[in-house]
Amino acid sequence: MAATTRSLASIYDVFLNFRGEDTRYGFTGNLYKALCDKGIHTFFDEDKLHSGDDITPALSKAIQESRIAITVLSQNYASSSFCLDELVTILHCKREGLLVIPVFHNVDPSAVRHLKGSYGEAMAKHQKRFKAKKEKLQKWRMALHQVADLSGYHFKDGDAYEYKFIGNIVEEVSRKINCAPLHVADYPVGLGSQVIEVMKLLDVGSDDLVHIIGIHGMGGLGKTTLALAVYNFIALNFDESCFLQNVREESNKHGLKHLQSILLSKLLGEKDITLTSWQEGASMIQHRLRRKKVLLILDDVDKREQLEAIVGRSDWFGPGSRVIITTRDKHLLKYHEVERTYEVKVLNHNAALQLLTWNAFKREKIDPIYDDVLNRVVTYASGLPLALEVIGSDLFGKTVAEWESAVEHYKRIPSDEILKILKVSFDALGEEQKNVFLDIACCFKGYKWTEVDDILRAFYGNCKKHHIGVLVEKSLIKLNCYDSGTVEMHDLIQDMGREIERQRSPEEPWKCKRLWSPKDIFQVLKHNTGTSKIEIICLDFSISDKEETVEWNENAFMKMENLKILIIRNGKFSKGPNYFPEVLNFDQCEFLTQIPDVSDLPNLKELSFDWCESLIAVDDSIGFLNKLKKLSAYGCRKLRSFPPLNLTSLETLQLSGCSSLEYFPEILGEMENIKALDLDGLPIKELPFSFQNLIGLCRLTLNSCGIIQLPCSLAMMPELSVFRIENCNRWHWVESEEGSKRFTRVEYLDLSGNNFTILPEFFKELQFLRALMVSDCEHLQEIRGLPPNLEYFDARNCASLTSSTKSMLLNQKLHEAGGTNFMFTGTRIPEWLDQQSSGHSSSFWFRNKFPAKLLCLLIAPVSTGIGVKAKVFINGKILKRPFYYGTLHQKTPGCYKP
């Protein structure tokens, strides 16, 4: 049977499953009347809805829409395929919260469980009739076994009065359904699929274990609504149940003892439980509930103390118990070792539109003239149910014009009702964490994480990683692919943060710490109203379709003594400034043509003008900013020259992607803080002699450059250990080069993708070189020597290698460390292995490594992505280290000669 989903709103209190021929006009008929007399809405198949061999959709739907199923297992029950199909459906719904009560009517439970007597005879007949439907037969057997294991009622003629027996059943049912379902939502749009996911985690049908699950997500997503729906679904399956709502608020107002007293009173059925301390409450919960199968929901938890006082450990509750915790803070769930968690997501567009429509019009179909404005509200709310419900209710009965006006108002000033809910997470932050959140909400949402990381480090040092982690755990921000992705947050969370900042000085924005609104920034710049309170200005024109020229006062930055971050993207200004702050970011400024004199900014620490595609000149003064730590001009395609540099504090220099820059800048003095330098995609033909002044350089990359000759000055750079010069098609070895000196201390050398034809003999002299790559050098013919201490050599796709060179490589003497990893058409050859290659085949033999008695030889190939790794086992023991041979697509046979 396909998976079914129980209805969120039950229609029937009880569904009666029975064999009509046995009990319709007797026991089951009397039970049905007794239930109805008590006002218990019961489904009784008087219309005989069975047809064909399978359960009808009407019956399946009735089961799904019931709270309790009573199964009357009579003498001839198993002979009915319809009864058995109903039973399978009932037990499937049990996993989704349906309470199942079996009644064994003149039948012993063991006969049902083990298919004895009439049940065995019935199954034997089914075996013949449905011999082609083995899966159906197996489901029936399992269903009978499962229902026989459930706690229920056993009636035998002559043992008791039937009316009293029925009365006991009705009394239990009445007690169960008197626990009225909790109100979930007026319009539970999109809730069904989420309930299904949570039900999978709960695994209600498993009674041997206690499961604690967590539901987490940002405020306003409907965590409480989801928990209420799940509670209603499964509450009848437990001895007792309790939904502790608003734990955060209630514990702040009344303390943990108050919550513990409510819990104990509800689950134990005792009034006026007085506790002297929360520790006493925790002990009582543990001892009084450890044998009870209970359902407990803790809603809106925000502190670990709440979990420690109320939930403690899973062994505080009896087998089969379930605990659900809702929280905005994912870290609380980790701390409490809650492994089963569900993150509530925003609604998709269609569900959001449906929820908004129901709240605003109380019906599904509406006048099409509202379509456009409704879609704009859905976009504004970004799938947040809280916002959709609040806005929909506020605008109930309003005209289109009133909707239009309200939408514009919400964009400027968000609803207080929405902000109040969202602000709870903000209020729970520490002071520095609040500042990090406001920085991102006001200015850096959507920025690359690497950019935000650099910016925040200037404010908060190494603490920023911890702060960012807290914001993620509390569902306030998201990091998409931590290293290379962006920093994101829900639009209304951003609005909440910006409104908090705006409220600091709603009439005079220049008294705020952060400015992001173009209107406010224009006013400050034009009228020179800046103050020392301003620390961040972020003006991004790239989000606007029209080009604007900013009219401003040249001295606008003069009063901003504490301005730390100025970001102007794609801006065009009427004139240049007379004064600049100490941090400058002009990334993606399309109209920036030159970097002016910055000699008046001796304290400048960072200067970035990446992707300024109109930039053609940089003032010489940049080269003398002694406190500058970061200088980045990535992707400035029209920049032809760069001024000389004497920047003793510089740690990061980025010139990659400057495709018109033909000369690397002169280095006027020793600069020891640049450890790594990437010069990718530059047309530079050579590096200046002064390049040696980068005395701290450890890693140099020249990829896809126009370099023709390497300077001798490389030999004077003692720290240079990693050197990559890849795909530089104009570069060749020059015979007169004293090559070995250039690579004296290099340990890792990558020459891949170049056009040289020989690897010179001086490579034998490179004592420190451990790894050498010449892969994809299609013109390489001859390798005249390899370093003596080489541990890794990659010559893949070198199609022009001569046969003598290949032979030399195969016979290369290996040093005592255990061998070199050779990557080419051939193999990595350990010292104990002889090998020969011919085309795509390799043969190998092991010299004197075999024992006198060879019982078992196993060569096990394992794919590594770049080759095939073979491990050799002799008599059950692994031999030496693994070796590589062939390439991934080759299937190389092996032979051995002991």
Side-chain angles (χ1 to χ4, degrees):
M1 187 192 73
T4 58
T5 305
R6 291 185 61 218
S7 171
L8 289 178
S10 298
I11 294 178
Y12 300 103
D13 294 320
V14 174
F15 179 93
L16 287 176
N17 166 241
F18 61 98
R19 179 73 165 108
E21 293 178 5
D22 280 2
T23 63
R24 177 186 298 277
Y25 301 110
F27 176 83
T28 304
N30 294 332
L31 175 60
Y32 172 64
K33 182 178 184 303
L35 290 167
C36 292
D37 288 346
K38 283 286 188 177
I40 298 172
H41 191 198
T42 305
F43 181 90
F44 181 76
D45 183 15
E46 290 185 293
D47 299 326
K48 301 182 180 179
L49 296 176
H50 295 133
S51 65
D53 288 335
D54 296 313
I55 185 172
T56 64
L59 282 173
S60 181
K61 187 170 183 288
I63 295 170
Q64 294 167 23
E65 293 175 342
S66 299
R67 300 176 68 189
I68 300 173
I70 297 179
T71 298
V72 181
L73 296 148
S74 56
Q75 192 71 23
N76 297 305
Y77 177 93
S79 64
S80 169
S81 62
F82 302 114
C83 286
L84 294 174
D85 280 341
E86 280 185 14
L87 182 62
V88 170
T89 302
I90 286 169
L91 292 175
H92 176 84
C93 288
K94 181 183 184 295
R95 295 198 296 270
E96 298 178 350
L98 178 69
L99 176 62
V100 180
I101 301 175
V103 176
F104 301 93
H105 188 268
N106 288 318
V107 170
D108 193 276
S110 65
V112 178
R113 182 181 299 108
H114 300 298
L115 300 180
K116 293 182 177 179
S118 63
Y119 280 75
E121 294 169 5
M123 287 306 298
K125 291 179 181 179
H126 291 318
Q127 187 89 21
K128 295 179 180 178
R129 181 184 175 191
F130 299 103
K131 58 184 177 180
K133 298 183 178 180
K134 294 182 179 179
E135 185 178 353
K136 178 191 280 282
L137 290 167
Q138 182 62 20
K139 285 183 178 180
W140 288 349
R141 292 190 190 96
M142 289 178 61
L144 289 170
H145 190 278
Q146 289 172 22
V147 76
D149 285 340
L150 297 178
S151 176
Y153 293 85
H154 187 192
F155 179 80
K156 187 176 181 181
D157 286 331
D159 282 359
Y161 291 108
E162 184 180 275
Y163 77 91
K164 286 187 177 180
F165 182 80
I166 289 175
N168 292 334
I169 298 174
V170 173
E171 184 180 343
E172 180 185 352
V173 171
S174 181
R175 187 173 64 253
K176 291 285 187 182
I177 66 171
N178 281 345
C179 299
L182 302 177
H183 176 70
V184 176
D186 292 333
Y187 311 108
V189 175
L191 205 53
S193 59
Q194 297 186 75
V195 169
I196 291 173
E197 293 304 313
V198 174
M199 293 295 292
K200 290 177 183 176
L201 296 175
L202 286 168
D203 190 17
V204 176
S206 173
D207 287 342
D208 54 337
L209 298 173
V210 175
H211 288 319
I212 301 178
I213 76 156
I215 298 175
H216 64 93
M218 63 177 277
L221 280 174
K223 298 181 295 296
T224 300
T225 303
L226 176 57
L228 285 165
V230 172
Y231 178 87
N232 287 343
F233 249 58
I234 64 176
L236 295 182
N237 286 271
F238 299 87
D239 298 338
E240 301 293 342
S241 58
C242 179
F243 192 112
L244 279 181
Q245 202 158 358
N246 300 322
V247 169
R248 172 184 56 83
E249 188 175 337
E250 291 296 318
S251 63
N252 287 337
K253 285 182 180 178
H254 308 293
L256 293 172
K257 291 187 298 180
H258 174 70
L259 290 171
Q260 291 171 326
S261 296
I262 293 175
L263 173 69
L264 288 166
S265 296
K266 185 79 167 65
L267 297 182
L268 297 176
E270 299 176 9
K271 296 182 179 179
D272 303 323
I273 294 179
T274 303
L275 301 172
T276 59
S277 66
W278 73 262
Q279 288 88 347
E280 182 186 13
S283 179
M284 187 176 292
I285 291 171
Q286 180 180 3
H287 286 89
R288 297 291 300 275
L289 300 180
R290 61 184 176 183
R291 292 181 180 85
K292 276 185 172 288
K293 180 185 175 183
V294 300
L295 170 63
L296 172 59
I297 298 186
L298 274 66
D299 174 55
D300 195 18
V301 172
D302 71 333
K303 291 184 175 65
R304 59 183 177 82
E305 293 86 356
Q306 297 156 359
L307 295 177
E308 291 169 350
I310 300 173
V311 178
R313 301 186 309 273
S314 59
D315 61 5
W316 283 20
F317 310 100
S321 294
R322 297 294 183 266
V323 179
I324 301 174
I325 302 163
T326 76
T327 182
R328 303 181 188 204
D329 192 346
K330 187 165 60 173
H331 180 70
L332 282 178
L333 301 176
K334 287 183 180 177
Y335 175 82
H336 206 68
E337 299 182 308
V338 178
E339 297 179 356
R340 300 185 177 206
T341 62
Y342 176 76
E343 181 178 5
V344 184
K345 304 291 197 308
V346 295
L347 296 176
N348 61 38
H349 185 89
N350 289 337
L353 182 59
Q354 189 180 352
L355 181 60
L356 176 64
T357 302
W358 275 108
N359 277 278
F361 300 95
K362 313 297 183 188
R363 60 183 183 273
E364 189 173 5
K365 302 295 183 183
I366 60 166
D367 192 324
I369 63 172
Y370 284 92
D371 286 350
D372 180 63
V373 71
L374 282 173
N375 278 294
R376 277 190 282 142
V377 171
V378 168
T379 300
Y380 166 75
S382 300
L384 190 69
L386 168 69
L388 295 163
E389 291 171 356
V390 168
I391 295 173
S393 301
D394 285 351
L395 297 178
F396 175 74
K398 303 294 184 182
T399 65
V400 174
E402 289 172 309
W403 274 78
E404 298 276 3
S405 175
V407 171
E408 293 306 313
H409 174 75
Y410 286 132
K411 287 181 179 178
R412 288 190 301 106
I413 304 175
S415 160
D416 288 340
E417 190 175 348
I418 297 172
L419 291 185
K420 181 182 177 182
I421 300 296
L422 298 181
K423 193 171 177 288
V424 169
S425 297
F426 174 81
D427 292 336
L429 299 174
E431 208 55 43
E432 253 194 14
Q433 292 159 4
K434 288 180 179 178
N435 279 318
V436 173
F437 169 75
L438 292 175
D439 289 344
I440 295 172
C442 293
C443 301
F444 305 131
K445 177 193 170 188
Y447 275 50
K448 288 183 178 178
W449 162 244
T450 50
E451 293 179 300
V452 177
D453 184 51
D454 285 341
I455 293 168
L456 295 181
R457 187 184 293 113
F459 282 93
Y460 311 104
N462 291 330
C463 294
K464 55 101 173 92
K465 280 195 175 180
H466 170 69
H467 299 330
I468 289 289
V470 170
L471 298 183
V472 171
E473 298 285 3
K474 292 188 180 294
S475 305
L476 287 169
I477 68 169
K478 290 195 175 198
L479 298 183
N480 295 328
C481 301
Y482 196 86
D483 290 325
S484 59
T486 55
V487 181
E488 300 294 345
M489 64 172 56
H490 192 279
D491 290 344
L492 292 179
I493 291 285
Q494 181 184 38
D495 289 348
M496 179 263 290
R498 288 182 165 183
E499 183 62 13
I500 291 171
E501 181 69 14
R502 191 186 73 84
Q503 286 296 333
R504 292 181 174 179
S505 182
E507 303 301 325
E508 299 174 304
W510 48 88
K511 292 184 179 179
C512 293
K513 180 178 178 180
R514 305 162 182 90
L515 291 180
W516 66 91
S517 165
K519 178 183 175 183
D520 294 340
I521 294 172
F522 291 164
Q523 183 178 358
V524 168
L525 296 182
K526 184 174 182 178
H527 301 291
N528 194 16
T529 54
T531 67
S532 60
K533 292 184 180 295
I534 298 174
E535 293 186 15
I536 303 176
I537 293 179
C538 183
L539 184 58
D540 193 347
F541 289 100
S542 60
I543 59 177
S544 175
D545 293 332
K546 60 180 181 178
E547 179 184 320
E548 293 189 60
T549 300
V550 181
E551 298 290 340
W552 71 331
N553 187 306
E554 306 100 303
N555 298 313
F557 294 123
M558 191 74 73
K559 299 177 183 177
M560 302 182 200
E561 301 168 6
N562 293 312
L563 184 65
K564 293 182 174 66
I565 295 177
L566 172 65
I567 299 178
I568 302 174
R569 287 192 165 171
N570 213 29
K572 185 175 183 180
F573 292 84
S574 58
K575 49 197 166 186
N578 291 334
Y579 176 84
F580 259 139
E582 296 178 6
V583 178
L584 296 177
N585 186 318
F586 295 103
D587 292 352
Q588 301 180 35
C589 286
E590 182 181 348
F591 305 104
L592 185 66
T593 58
Q594 64 178 16
I595 301 297
D597 187 346
V598 291
S599 55
D600 290 334
L601 300 172
N603 295 320
L604 194 66
K605 294 181 179 178
E606 294 189 10
L607 179 57
S608 178
F609 37 91
D610 293 346
W611 295 109
C612 293
E613 298 193 0
S614 298
L615 185 69
I616 57 175
V618 176
D619 190 82
D620 287 356
S621 58
I622 280 181
F624 299 93
L625 298 171
N626 289 330
K627 295 185 179 180
L628 194 67
K629 291 187 175 183
K630 177 182 177 180
L631 178 58
S632 183
Y634 189 95
C636 296
R637 299 178 181 177
K638 294 184 179 180
L639 188 62
R640 292 183 174 277
S641 63
F642 210 84
L645 303 178
N646 187 11
L647 305 171
T648 54
S649 299
L650 195 66
E651 298 173 359
T652 301
L653 176 63
Q654 180 57 270
L655 297 174
S656 292
C658 295
S659 53
S660 298
L661 188 65
E662 296 184 357
Y663 300 97
F664 186 83
E666 293 286 343
I667 307 298
L668 301 183
E670 290 188 349
M671 294 166 53
E672 64 180 359
N673 293 313
I674 294 180
K675 304 300 181 184
L677 182 61
D678 295 336
L679 301 174
D680 297 344
L682 304 183
I684 55 174
K685 298 177 181 177
E686 60 182 359
L687 297 173
F689 186 80
S690 62
F691 191 81
Q692 64 179 319
N693 285 327
L694 299 175
I695 58 174
L697 192 64
C698 299
R699 179 175 64 81
L700 174 62
T701 300
L702 296 167
N703 288 343
S704 303
C705 287
I707 199 80
I708 295 177
Q709 186 174 352
L710 297 177
C712 295
S713 57
L714 288 179
M716 303 176 190
M717 304 179 73
E719 302 297 325
L720 186 62
S721 60
V722 177
F723 184 26
R724 303 179 66 182
I725 176 168
E726 302 178 47
N727 300 306
C728 296
N729 296 328
R730 302 177 64 188
W731 174 63
H732 293 272
W733 298 110
V734 179
E735 291 297 332
S736 60
E737 281 186 327
E738 297 180 357
S740 61
K741 295 182 179 179
R742 288 167 177 77
F743 306 114
T744 302
R745 296 199 170 269
V746 172
E747 298 178 16
Y748 178 104
L749 181 60
D750 192 344
L751 306 173
S752 300
N754 290 302
N755 287 337
F756 53 80
T757 58
I758 64 166
L759 199 65
E761 191 172 358
F762 69 71
F763 270 83
K764 294 179 179 179
E765 304 171 23
L766 302 180
Q767 300 286 333
F768 292 95
L769 194 60
R770 297 291 187 272
L772 175 62
M773 276 65 70
V774 292
S775 60
D776 300 306
C777 292
E778 296 180 357
H779 302 284
L780 179 60
Q781 300 175 15
E782 186 178 356
I783 297 176
R784 296 179 177 174
L786 289 176
N789 297 313
L790 195 64
E791 296 177 1
Y792 182 88
F793 178 63
D794 186 353
R796 287 173 295 164
N797 301 322
C798 295
S800 301
L801 285 176
T802 63
S803 57
S804 59
T805 297
K806 291 180 182 178
S807 177
M808 181 274 292
L809 292 174
L810 293 175
N811 293 311
Q812 172 72 22
K813 182 69 176 176
L814 305 175
H815 60 79
E816 296 178 359
T820 301
N821 286 315
F822 277 75
M823 300 300 298
F824 62 102
T825 304
T827 176
R828 173 200 169 196
I829 320 238
E831 58 183 356
W832 41 264
L833 175 70
D834 277 344
Q835 186 265 2
Q836 288 182 351
S837 294
S838 177
H840 285 184
S841 297
S842 291
S843 298
F844 43 85
W845 53 96
F846 298 97
R847 297 184 186 160
N848 299 319
K849 286 294 178 181
F850 276 72
K853 294 182 179 180
L854 177 61
L855 301 179
C856 174
L857 169 65
L858 171 65
I859 302 176
V862 181
S863 171
T864 66
I866 56 174
V868 178
K869 180 170 69 176
K871 290 189 176 182
V872 180
F873 295 82
I874 296 179
N875 293 345
K877 295 182 180 180
I878 190 168
L879 179 63
K880 269 285 192 176
R881 296 170 55 186
F883 61 92
Y884 293 83
Y885 65 94
T887 53
L888 188 59
H889 67 276
Q890 295 174 341
K891 299 184 183 297
T892 308
C895 62
Y896 68 91
K897 299 179 182 178

